[in-house]
């Protein structure tokens, strides 16, 4: 509840239009839907600009359907990440118009919604190798659903530097660049050294033993020799898309 | 060298205004100043929008003075981070107009330079506790030198949630929010849950034993339950300031 | 053997009612049941107030049945944790009145037994997300079997702070609060900042890569910025329930 | 602000005794003292039952004096932990009646204040070895300042089990037992196997190389084979005292 | 080749009984059987007193049979550890008289062979919990095959100290005590505090999350507060048996 | 593009044989084949002397076939590592002349190609135990495909030092020695102490718990007491083969 | 208290020679000396065969003197490990006949006492490099004080294998071999492959960065490819000496 | 002793020129100098091609002088690494002609000695930043002392890629390239992607917190996306120089 709303509420009490009890109740009337096993934060879009996304892992099919329906009801659209193919089928039947992005393991329903009627801002999603595609696609699909225009540049790892240099002009046009890389995770630093936009680095869990399931690229990215690299969790394409969305859209949307 | 410059150069060759040898030389004439023990990347401002900063640790006083003078010559201003008080004194004598920010351990010379003549964009720097001040100040001083307007909100950790809630309206007005925290590092997630702007999290190395010199808050921030948190290295206030600068300024500056 | 009992025994020897040999034997007659592959600590309830619980993992069905029967014989009730569904079926047949709590993976037989005939004390079990439910249910089911009244508050993670604030009044009424959280594990600190009762934090192994199977929330909880958080092992709902029981019940029970 | 206070405030507005503006201001009038470099949470005692403690490390002498004076003004007493001897001297001059506990590195001013006029509850502080004394003393001094009666049992490590057995009867009388141990950290499990009260385990950073500055006893304690052990941060005697205080006192104090 | 043998060989050359070429060949005639994929160290029994054991994991059935036959040929007996049930069946058919110890996952053929005709020395194998049985049985079966007399004491963990105290007299009679424990791994220190014989500690990989697959008990054992605990690898019952054998038997056997 | 080529290109522009536009295009005409999900670095052989190898894990069968065909087209040969048996079958049908090396999990097509018509240089591949064979075979098969002569010496671990000493003369003849070892990873240091050629150490992920999936041998090798050991990633036989190839062949090949 | 003593005590009660009260008191009369800050386990020699040693770190000079005097009084001799030179001087004055072993940082007083009047058993102490000397000397000095004959073999690391081979005959004569090594820690495995006696491995904290203060040699030793290596804590020469003493002496001493 | 030498020795025995006793003695006459606290491996140059280097840390001044003198006597030259300035002064006095390289912390005496009279081979030493200079200089100074020609290229990190590209032609002429880098350690992969010679990567311990004293660049280098990178220990410039020497010189030297 914003300070403005609070003042208004109190004024209504002062004017006798609202009893103190009703006002107290309204203050306590928190905007979430309680499904017992989950409390859906229906208020999040107002607060943060994006509706709550659903983390698909560790939920039963029945729970996923109940949550997705309730979210769809409230927002007209739903985003579910980390969703296995088999519950995805059931959800597609339950949610008319839903679509499952297999490589990204993401389900979307409802149309993506840009910040305004204006032209969408562009975000680039760069992947070091083919093995990083599932995470890169998660980032790309989520960003598109958030209303961003996404340009994909895959398999441009440092082992063949010219592949990266070939896409630099495109990267320079983006509002933010998401760079997905496993193994040594050196790509984000190289990108940050070549462009001025913010670089969002996503380590992936692919690679030989001493990559330690993503620890190696994570540390590399945190220590990137070129400043201006910000890092999200291992394999967290969704998180990177939210950061990109905040950079590109949120400020404009919420300042007014 | 940008594609445009390349075309122009080749056209000059085609017009006979430039010999092939001279053109090849110019292409190889890389824009760095070689001090033998250091190769100063004088080109970085053109490429990334910011001049190269100098990392003060592990350099001798003589090296620091040589580097700072050469940078100042090229850019009219210098930024040195992680600088101990004693070489700072020597540098202040050597560089007229330089200033040492003790708590931040940063030396600046030259005026901060915004992206344009327009009003500077605002970045908020939030610190969880008083012990996080040196890192928070590093972020703030660097951001100011980059031409951003900085609002400081210190000691608003989660143990007294109302202190944070009191500054939320201010945070909502910022283009990006840098959140500095040691110990459990939980503050960035709380901030990200309350605002729409991008949150740049900086773990610090303060705290009891199981903080493991910043590992604990680092992991907390990477796993932030509220999406939209991007993380930089432990104690790296400078890096956070660069990310903020890229978010706030770089895109505008370089797109043209 | 308590000092009182020892004095009594020695007095019986002194009175000639007991031969030294018999007394020595009795002192050596340790109260456990030796099943060869297991030595059941039948004495534990007297010493600690709770009968020994059975850890279900890594035991064969036959061993589980033998142990459960012997425990039931001695105490009239049994608690088995970390029990897979398939041995659970066999145990339900073998132990009349046993019940399998699927989500919690716990089997209970016999009635829960409070500390006294008085009203049971209340413990709150709070879970950050739906994915933390199995651990939260383990804590809740065990606590109920120990004779505590349990209030469940699930999916109240920090990303939507108002969900937590809505349950604070309820948490304030509890004798102890168990807080279960994966990912960043920041919830217990937030709870501890809002209430005065002891907070028992349980990290879970859910989350993206850099949660490192529960290491991240474990460290967060140990470093909780609000003092008064005590931590148990990753995914150890049972252990949290025992701590809660000790806080709420044990002292009264054993002081007399 | 409690729900009761909120209703009262709104009623005052309804009765015309308070303008809406004044009410909004009062709601926003957050109870902290802003010293610029620190925001003192003066409200904490009301919320949690204990005033905010000051973490002494990383603060300048001037800051410590300013904070301590302001805290003393508000609460009539101050607790500073992790305080080096040299700023302690300055503080003792600045704060009449303050006392520095050298081994514990704790400064206290004002009298300890029990929960009520009733007899204070007893907490036992157990230390495995002489090297664990500073941490054990931190726990003991803090607990005393919180108004608890403290019984100390030092150097009762497992290598000579009989030393522990000798103090078990005393431990059985305590409302909670704090067990401080470095090296293998096995003592808390042994204590928990012998008594029914809650055991608060504090790992210390003493020991040979593979203790890894407290990591080894920390893991041991989290994995304690006897259930009912709750763990706090390495060397965090203060945190253990707060948990003990919450167990022993808080519930009674706040339920009314 | 021992110095004595070398002298003898050279003397034979000096006497002309052996050509230099033959002597050089004999020196190079190293005592291993080369199966191409494996070089069997048939010499080990002479050097170390025990024939080479076969590590069963990661070898194909065919390789296992070839190796086992060749070992049996050379030594009249074979020991295979970490052997899954399915190749074990094939080996039992291929090696007359072989026996598979299922819980220990060990296959033995040939009779166990003590150091001498004298009475075998006794080693105790102690396990903290039922879940540690496979490792404890590996230690026990191997030790028996090495010719030691083994006494088993299982499920005597610290949570019920009296179970351990009951077996102390038996432990005092052993030449060495192998203590197998997971979770907190505190048992070996307790044993070492009660007896004078060497304690060989084996951490196991059982337990809740923060046991980190045996890391926690490993560290506990290395930091055992009672001196005289020597540690082997996680789950390495075989290694513990070899250490016990060296302590009990090897010295006598090889000194003569 | 080499400096020579650049000069030539510019000269052609100067001579009017090439328009500036065409020259710029050619400079941008980067030598990779874009398959959308992969950008094949067809240029690598020219730059590094070896064609790009394909990492088989995490790619679908269809992607593998498309990539392999395109590589074969460009180079007349393909190398795929970390390839499971089932996609291997499909590839063998799709690529005439391809061969699957099962133990090494490597697919090769086309003939191996030495640096010159001269006799191939020899590389030794040494494995400590039979369990290290898959990694050792990956190194050997790759090295052969690169045109090196490979000598295999398997199962010569330190437990029977004479097995190693027997092959030292052969190792002395090699241009480089690849040493593959799990468990304690001590073999490379022993080899480096006996010969003068460079030793390339490959840790493997085999062994008991505290080998931590290859971490133990990795650290051992990095700390090898005999200088001259260089280490590659855990289980990375392919990487070791490339280092060997660079040592043996690359310099000669590229200097001219 | 041994079972025999207990029977005797009870018999005395039965015979009326002892009142039950006196007997109970005697049972409770635990054999430690309570110095308030330390509880000296004077009973340990009877139980374990060795008096308690004093860990010198973290104790004040005054505490060390008080403890040492009390120990000397009770046992006629004292052993203090990890003692810095400055308190050592004070102790030498306070304890007539005490001697400080500087390299080992050990203080001894009283004569070493073998298990019997018979010839002392021999233990070998082997060090890989000169940098491992302090730890090796700690082991040697302690073992000598325990009454063992010690043979030192220093600087025989694997980098020059022949240095080790030269001392093998001597090692074969020892009852147990302590092997001290930093860096790669490979020496114990090599020794264990060559002799039959038990090998006690002590990792040290010397070496380059990736030795991680002893972690690397610790893991190497736990994974030693030659079975029969038992490991103690990093830099813990004292612990190794106790294990050696238990192997060599304890059994004989305590069996009778 | 080589097989050839052995045959020769045996032939001399056969010819009666040598008694068996003398031959046995000679075989046992191991080529090291025993200084009691050190056993100097004077044989190493014959076996490996390089004399033993002295690790300066943890040795007293007296020990260093004794070792250096004995080495100088045997080889006419000495190399001491990791030597602090103060013992260096004493050594320079004791060893005529010795020189201390301050930045590298290396002392050399005697002339560097190439493999043959032929022109020395070239090795490039590349450093990412100025802070990596001490390690890079250690590598360079050692390599020069080994008889290699060294080209230094410092401060060419990835943040300004053009600095690296400018030196690629020079790197292409080297027989091996040593790449020294801290922070993200990404430079070696970039170099390996551009040249064909073997790349020896040296991680350094410089950088912000999450570099974890060199762990981050170490992991990056082990996971280098460009194959052909071999890694040595953190800060181990000496080790890298030995690998380079083995690559460049050893094979030629020892094959004959």
């Amino acid at each position: 509840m914003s300070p403005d709303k609070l003042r208004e509420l109190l004024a209504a009490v002062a004017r006798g239009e609202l009893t103190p009890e009703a006002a107290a109740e309204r203050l306590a009337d928190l905007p979430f839907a309680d499904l017992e096993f989950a409390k859906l934060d229906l208020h999040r879009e107002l607060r943060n600009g994006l509706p709550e996304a659903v983390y698909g892992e560790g939920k039963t099919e029945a729970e996923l359907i109940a949550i997705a329906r309730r979210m769809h009801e409230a927002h007209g659209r739903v985003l579910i990440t980390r969703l296995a193919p088999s519950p995805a089928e059931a959800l597609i039947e339950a949610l008319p118009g839903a679509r499952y992005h297999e490589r990204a393991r993401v389900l979307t329903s409802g149309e993506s919604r840009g910040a305004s009627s204006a032209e969408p801002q562009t975000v680039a999603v760069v992947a070091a190798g083919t093995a990083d595609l599932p995470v890169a696609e998660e980032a790309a699909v989520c960003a598109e659903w958030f209303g961003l225009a996404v340009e994909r540049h895959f398999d441009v790892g440092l082992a063949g530097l010219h592949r990266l240099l070939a896409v630099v002009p495109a990267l320079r046009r983006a509002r933010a660049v998401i760079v997905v890389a496993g193994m040594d995770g050196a790509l984000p630093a190289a990108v940050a050294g070549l462009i001025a936009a913010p670089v969002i680095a996503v380590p992936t869990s692919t690679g030989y033993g001493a990559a330690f399931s993503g620890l190696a690229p994570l540390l590399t990215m945190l220590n990137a020799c070129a400043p201006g690299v910000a890092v999200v969790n291992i394999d967290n394409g969704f998180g990177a898309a939210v950061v990109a969305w905040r950079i590109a859209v949120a400020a404009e949307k919420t300042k007014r």
Side-chain angles (χ1 to χ4, degrees), chain A:
Chain A
M1 176 156 289
S2 68
D4 288 356
K5 288 255 171 93
L6 178 63
R7 266 188 200 87
E8 207 178 288
L9 187 83
L10 293 166
V13 175
R15 286 191 303 268
E17 293 166 20
L18 204 67
T19 64
E21 283 70 27
E25 208 158 90
R26 198 167 298 175
L27 282 167
D29 178 27
L30 292 151
F32 57 79
D34 199 333
L35 305 187
E36 195 163 334
F37 57 86
K39 291 189 176 48
L40 307 184
D41 183 0
L42 305 177
H43 191 230
R44 197 169 295 177
E45 187 158 19
L46 289 169
R47 205 169 63 240
N48 286 6
L50 279 180
E52 188 180 7
V54 182
Y55 184 80
E57 266 175 22
K59 297 199 172 77
T60 65
E61 208 171 281
E63 289 171 351
L64 283 167
I65 290 175
I67 291 174
R69 275 196 177 135
R70 191 66 188 79
M71 297 297 262
H72 195 92
E73 224 173 278
H75 302 290
R77 54 182 193 145
V78 180
L79 177 73
I80 310 182
T81 62
R82 299 234 158 179
L83 187 69
S86 114
E89 277 179 45
L91 279 159
I92 281 174
E93 276 185 40
L95 279 187
R99 190 180 150 208
Y100 184 57
H101 308 257
E102 197 172 348
R103 199 99 213 222
R105 296 171 64 92
V106 164
L107 181 139
T108 53
S109 91
E111 43 178 335
S112 69
R113 208 173 295 169
S116 63
S117 57
E119 212 184 330
Q121 299 215 34
T122 297
V123 166
V125 177
V126 175
T130 304
D132 302 317
L133 247 78
V135 178
E137 275 297 326
E138 186 186 278
V141 166
C142 292
E144 286 169 343
W145 190 80
F146 298 160
L148 299 168
V150 174
E151 289 193 6
R152 287 160 170 87
H153 306 283
F154 293 166
D155 199 21
V156 297
L158 280 195
L161 206 54
H162 57 297
R163 298 178 300 193
L164 172 60
L165 297 176
V167 304
V168 164
L171 300 184
R172 289 224 167 106
R173 287 188 300 268
R175 187 65 190 85
V177 178
I178 294 170
V179 186
V180 181
M183 299 192 168
D184 66 4
L187 191 56
V191 171
L194 294 165
I195 67 167
V199 171
I200 307 155
V202 192
T204 66
S205 52
T206 67
Y208 280 87
F212 292 120
S213 305
L215 178 64
L218 170 62
L219 293 181
T220 310
M221 291 166 178
L222 288 166
N223 287 286
C225 54
V229 174
V231 187
V232 297
N233 206 332
I234 296 166
D235 291 336
N236 191 358
F238 161 72
V242 176
V243 175
W245 180 86
R246 287 182 177 232
I247 291 171
V249 178
E252 279 84 60
K253 192 170 187 175
T254 56
K255 264 197 301 215
R256 272 154 278 154

